[in-house]
Amino acid sequence: MASEEVEMQSVGKEEKLRRRRKEKEGEAEQEEEVSVERAFEGQRVPPWREQLTFRALVVSFLLSVMFSVIVMKLNLTTGIIPSLNVAAGLLGFFFVKMWTKALEQTGLLRTPFTRQENTVIQTCVVAAYGLAFSGGFGSYLFGMSSKIAAQATEANDPQNIKDPSLGWMIGFMFVVSFLGLFSLTPLRKIMIIDYKLIYPSGTATAYLINGFHTLNGEKLAKKQVWMLGKCFIGSFFWGFFQWFYTASDGCGFVSFPTLGLKAFDHRFYFDFSATYVGVGMICPYLVNVSVLLGGILSWGIMWPLINNQKGHWYPADTPDSSLHGLNGYKVFIGIAMILGDGLYNFVKVLHRTISTFVSAMRKGPSTLPVTDDDSPPPALASYDDEKRTEVFLKDQIPQWVAYAGYVAVAIISIIVLPHIFPPLKWYFIFVAYIFAPVLAFCNAYGCGLTDWSLASTYGKLAIFVIGAWAGSQGGVLAGLAACGVMMSIVSTASDLMQDFKTGYLTLASPRSMFVSQIIGTAMGCVIAPSVFWLFFKAFKDIGTEGSQYPAPYAIIYRNMAILGVDGFGSLPKHCLTLCYVFFALAIVINLIRDLVGPRIARFIPIPMAMAIPFYIGSYFAIDMFIGSVILFVWEKINKPKADSFAPAVASGIICGDGIWTLPQAVLALAQVKPPICMKFLSRKMNAQVDDFISTLS
């Protein structure tokens, strides 16, 4: 109101000055209302050492184990990993709050729980469970095994095989996982402050944590945790209940032909998976619909038509697992679509990264939020920005630590990796480490603009380059190992920048962020291989098509490496032509999505999501679609409540079903088998079974 009154007065010199003063006062008043940091103005920002508490590390370890199990299960089933940041933030807040409440009642509480400590927990947990994905246990690392090599038929020789072993997997993780942390640390000020990159996931996490530590936010967080806990318990016991009916293969609710036996044969059925119903509630509607459309296109139309060409396009006696038959079309057409989508987005993000970077450089440093000492600060710098910048620049990480750390880890890696993977020569690794910081910067910058990490795309690039370079002398194994090297560096670097953004917005020290990332990475280097080893030993059919844990990306990555070494000569008839078509189709669909604008693009499917069910089937797509329907109905009935509690419900469902895998694996290792087998037969087959049983009696 004050500013409106001033605008109605004369515009003389005195009145202009008065209006400027009042406008500034109005801006200050408005900022008082929207400022995040003013809500915490009376609270002390603890030094970086106080942010790294013993309780934070204990909670981080427990949550890291929990989320590593969940991510590993998702990795080995479909490879779709939703964001679990909400669950990690909620549970970290809940456990430390319980800890501090207990100590407070006994009078032993010395340090209160702060949002900075909450951020440290979040960073540590994400760094640890992130290795369950980037470690390649469901893709390139498992793709080295003899079990996957036997399905690929080509390059099934000792020099291209490396079977899993806990010792070398932990060593490999330690050798390759830390390099990304040092590669971009010197650029943290440029990325976070100078260019003000958004990092949407890091920003959302920061606002979530800030909200928890306000009075109203704490009340909502308690309700969300209670909802998450109820869903967790329900999902856990649902998994336990299902276990009783799975005495042998093909038994239980996972083999329930909900849409009929014919549809079941074509992988169309609801398998009662709580995990993927929860994933469907977290993933955007478009992703879920795209996955379902991909399943209908492949298993409903294409594979039956190609199967009709058996004896014409490929020999009729070809085994189902052979890549010279129908399985080859499933794998390579899916790969073509994934590569087409990846290439398009790589070029798109790289173009946007370069153009934005060049534009910012041309404008010069005077337009940046942090200027030289002799130039005045920007007039529009907010209280929040000033406060956050002050804290962010306070605890510097010495440049020599980053440079020395990168060189030291690179030297160790160059020496150690050829002993783990003999075909991966030291000069392959040396060349990869020269280009790695540039690629890590491109990925981290692009991720800051779009929230899209292309780590797996850079990994696939390494597969083709190093695989072709190594050639027939172990090129498949060398390509897969190089994929791990590149993917770990690029993924870790972008994760670190996301965490720096979260720390910037919660006033957490960059030094505590960096140390917690190192601690979390060290935890992940042990936890992730150990969890995979548990799965590998407990479930004997892991990695087999049609099993509970088919690990679809393992065979896909291995076949990419074979393509890089052998070329396209081994593909079945017309497969290469179809690959070209779907590669181009992925690019065209993405191009149309970008040209028509977001309003229409939200109705156009995503090629990468469409390609996922090409190999493993549509059963999980139906689970995810049901999750979408539940969320859609909930939003129609009560949107505010759905917005507040849907992430907690979905996270609880995913966590409960995921954690059930631990006791299930222990029971399998102890050779405790379920007592009941529930199978579904056609009427004709049932009559034959009845007749057979009657003859025995």
Side-chain angles (χ1 to χ4, degrees), residues 291-529:
V291 171
L292 186 60
L293 284 175
I296 294 170
L297 175 65
S298 55
W299 289 88
I301 300 172
M302 289 171 54
W303 305 157
L305 290 175
I306 293 174
N307 192 50
N308 291 338
Q309 300 301 319
K310 184 188 293 186
H312 301 287
W313 287 14
Y314 57 92
D317 58 350
T318 305
D320 291 340
S321 61
S322 174
L323 292 175
H324 295 293
L326 180 60
N327 214 32
Y329 296 94
K330 295 178 186 177
V331 171
F332 289 110
I333 292 175
I335 288 174
M337 207 160 187
I338 290 170
L339 289 177
D341 187 282
L343 178 66
Y344 179 87
N345 283 289
F346 171 74
V347 173
K348 172 184 166 183
V349 172
L350 187 64
H351 174 264
R352 185 172 175 184
T353 299
I354 293 172
S355 59
T356 308
F357 188 79
V358 170
S359 175
M361 292 298 292
R362 282 177 179 170
K363 290 177 182 177
S366 61
T367 63
L368 300 178
V370 177
T371 59
D372 297 330
D373 293 336
D374 56 348
S375 50
L380 296 177
S382 69
Y383 173 82
D384 283 4
D385 288 342
E386 290 175 356
K387 184 72 175 175
R388 289 164 178 168
T389 301
E390 177 190 345
V391 173
F392 191 77
L393 298 178
K394 184 180 177 182
D395 292 322
Q396 292 294 316
I397 302 166
Q399 301 280 45
W400 67 266
V401 171
Y403 298 135
Y406 189 87
V407 172
V409 175
I411 291 172
I412 294 170
S413 183
I414 289 170
I415 295 170
V416 172
L417 283 177
H419 288 86
I420 301 175
F421 309 107
L424 187 66
K425 305 302 181 185
W426 69 268
Y427 44 87
F428 295 166
I429 309 165
F430 179 75
V431 171
Y433 285 167
I434 290 174
F435 290 100
V438 177
L439 299 179
F441 172 79
C442 292
N443 189 54
Y445 197 99
C447 191
L449 294 171
T450 65
D451 207 30
W452 193 300
S453 175
L454 298 174
S456 59
T457 304
Y458 290 106
K460 295 179 188 110
L461 181 65
I463 287 179
F464 288 113
V465 172
I466 301 299
W469 191 358
S472 59
Q473 302 301 313
V476 172
L477 186 61
L480 291 170
C483 172
V485 171
M486 189 61 67
M487 195 167 159
S488 295
I489 295 171
V490 173
S491 176
T492 308
S494 65
D495 288 347
L496 180 64
M497 284 300 158
Q498 289 270 18
D499 291 333
F500 276 142
K501 182 68 175 184
T502 303
Y504 171 78
L505 294 171
T506 58
L507 300 191
S509 166
R511 196 171 291 183
S512 68
M513 292 284 91
F514 185 69
V515 173
S516 65
Q517 185 92 9
I518 289 177
I519 294 171
T521 302
M523 288 180 183
C525 288
V526 177
I527 293 170

Side-chain angles (χ1 to χ4, degrees), residues 42-312:
Q43 296 182 12
R44 168 179 170 268
V45 177
W48 72 272
R49 284 187 177 87
E50 292 183 19
Q51 298 173 22
L52 293 160
T53 62
F54 174 73
R55 67 192 178 202
L57 298 181
V58 171
V59 170
S60 297
F61 178 79
L62 295 174
L63 291 178
S64 296
V65 173
M66 175 179 174
F67 285 110
S68 292
V69 172
I70 294 164
V71 170
M72 196 66 70
K73 179 178 181 179
L74 295 170
N75 235 343
L76 295 172
T77 47
T78 64
I80 299 175
I81 316 293
S83 174
L84 298 172
N85 285 3
V86 172
L90 267 175
L91 291 173
F93 175 82
F94 172 67
F95 285 132
V96 178
K97 270 292 181 183
M98 282 180 57
W99 187 314
T100 54
K101 284 283 185 185
L103 289 177
E104 192 174 14
Q105 289 177 357
T106 59
L108 298 174
L109 181 63
R110 294 182 180 178
T111 54
F113 181 39
T114 63
R115 56 188 174 135
Q116 289 80 21
E117 187 180 353
N118 206 157
T119 306
V120 164
I121 295 171
Q122 180 87 12
T123 300
C124 197
V125 172
V126 172
Y129 84 68
L131 291 184
F133 169 71
S134 64
F137 301 101
S139 55
Y140 63 84
L141 202 73
F142 193 28
M144 301 174 184
S145 68
S146 56
K147 183 174 285 189
I148 302 300
Q151 298 174 50
T153 66
E154 286 84 19
N156 190 2
D157 53 85
Q159 65 178 349
N160 283 308
I161 291 174
K162 184 79 173 177
D163 279 317
S165 171
L166 192 58
W168 75 255
M169 287 191 299
I170 291 176
F172 175 71
M173 288 289 100
F174 270 105
V175 167
V176 302
S177 299
F178 290 92
L179 209 67
L181 300 180
F182 296 104
S183 61
L184 293 186
T185 300
L187 302 179
R188 66 194 177 281
K189 175 180 173 292
I190 293 173
M191 307 283 264
I192 304 300
I193 296 178
D194 291 357
Y195 294 113
K196 284 188 175 290
L197 294 177
I198 299 169
Y199 289 104
S201 291
T203 300
T205 303
Y207 282 112
L208 184 77
I209 292 172
N210 283 333
F212 287 163
H213 292 267
T214 60
L215 186 61
N216 291 334
E218 186 173 343
K219 290 178 182 177
L220 178 61
K222 287 178 180 177
K223 292 178 182 177
Q224 290 172 327
V225 168
W226 177 242
M227 181 71 78
L228 187 150
K230 288 193 291 185
C231 295
F232 177 95
I233 293 169
S235 179
F236 181 89
F237 281 104
W238 171 240
F240 182 43
F241 174 75
Q242 289 188 82
W243 175 80
F244 280 98
Y245 299 91
T246 56
S248 65
D249 294 339
C251 298
F253 287 90
V254 293
S255 300
F256 198 123
T258 43
L259 301 177
L261 290 167
K262 190 70 175 175
F264 182 83
D265 290 339
H266 288 84
R267 307 282 180 90
F268 284 95
Y269 58 95
F270 175 53
D271 71 345
F272 295 88
S273 168
T275 295
Y276 283 100
V277 172
V279 170
M281 292 179 69
I282 291 177
C283 289
Y285 293 128
L286 184 58
V287 171
N288 298 330
V289 173
S290 299
V291 171
L292 186 60
L293 284 175
I296 294 170
L297 175 65
S298 55
W299 289 88
I301 300 172
M302 289 171 54
W303 305 157
L305 290 175
I306 293 174
N307 192 50
N308 291 338
Q309 300 301 319
K310 184 188 293 186
H312 301 287

